[in-house]
Amino acid sequence: MNVVVLSDTHAPRRWKSCPPLVADRLRGADAILHAGDVCVPSVLEELAVFAPVHVVKGNNDGPDVVAPETLEVTLDGLRVGMIHDSGPAQGRLGRMRRLFPDAGLVVFGHSHIPLDESGEGLRIFNPGSPTDRRRQPYGTIGMLTIERGVLTEARIVRVT
């Protein structure tokens, strides 16, 4: 299963429409995870053209973005937890393990800083932002490959 992970698209200020390099990666996706700060629901409608979208609410999402604060989904047998803000770096793995005790992977956003880290029996993954790179050298998204309950590949992909 091919999964594209996005966060912090910040439309319409940063995301006017799906950037071409992001659209290239979305083609062929089996699922899309958006870790919040969509800002306007039209982004979710745009993404849903490519694949089913799972989303959590970010701190910049208004009431018109209908999404839970946290979400757990099972993708090809892998339990995935989602949250926008995972809190400070110190203690993050333990905090995410307690919040999502059955997850093998937790996807989050908020910082706009890509991260792929493992520990405490858990992998945590922040795709960064494709449109608001802040202090990062370029915009990024995440690409996951899941096979029969196992995350076989996780990559941070440059899209700007």
Side-chain angles (χ1 to χ4, degrees):
M1 176 176 226
N2 295 313
V3 181
V4 176
V5 185
L6 299 148
S7 188
D8 300 286
T9 47
H10 290 279
R13 191 175 46 119
R14 299 287 183 175
W15 174 290
K16 308 298 184 197
S17 65
C18 187
L21 290 177
V22 174
D24 288 346
R25 298 297 182 154
L26 290 167
R27 289 184 190 92
D30 298 306
I32 300 167
L33 305 179
H34 196 301
D37 278 0
V38 174
C39 299
V40 295
S42 61
V43 171
L44 300 175
E45 295 163 11
E46 192 174 6
L47 294 174
V49 169
F50 294 96
V53 180
H54 304 278
V55 62
V56 291
K57 189 172 278 285
N59 60 300
N60 288 298
D61 290 331
D64 55 340
V65 176
V66 179
E69 299 290 328
T70 63
L71 181 66
E72 288 187 67
V73 297
T74 301
L75 301 174
D76 198 15
L78 178 68
R79 195 77 176 149
V80 179
M82 295 178 65
I83 190 168
H84 179 63
D85 184 355
S86 66
Q90 185 172 356
R92 182 180 285 141
L93 277 164
R95 210 170 34 254
M96 293 301 99
R97 170 49 67 217
R98 288 187 298 279
L99 185 60
F100 300 104
D102 298 324
L105 172 69
V106 173
V107 168
F108 65 99
H110 188 61
S111 69
H112 299 220
I113 300 170
L115 176 74
D116 181 6
E117 185 178 331
S118 296
E120 303 200 25
L122 182 67
R123 191 162 187 173
I124 58 175
F125 189 81
N126 184 332
S129 171
T131 53
D132 189 2
R133 61 184 182 85
R134 291 194 181 162
R135 295 170 300 281
Q136 302 307 301
Y138 40 80
T140 56
I141 63 171
M143 304 290 295
L144 308 175
T145 305
I146 301 168
E147 296 177 15
R148 294 182 302 280
V150 176
L151 179 62
T152 59
E153 183 177 23
R155 296 181 294 138
I156 304 291
V157 178
R158 178 181 177 172
V159 291
T160 62

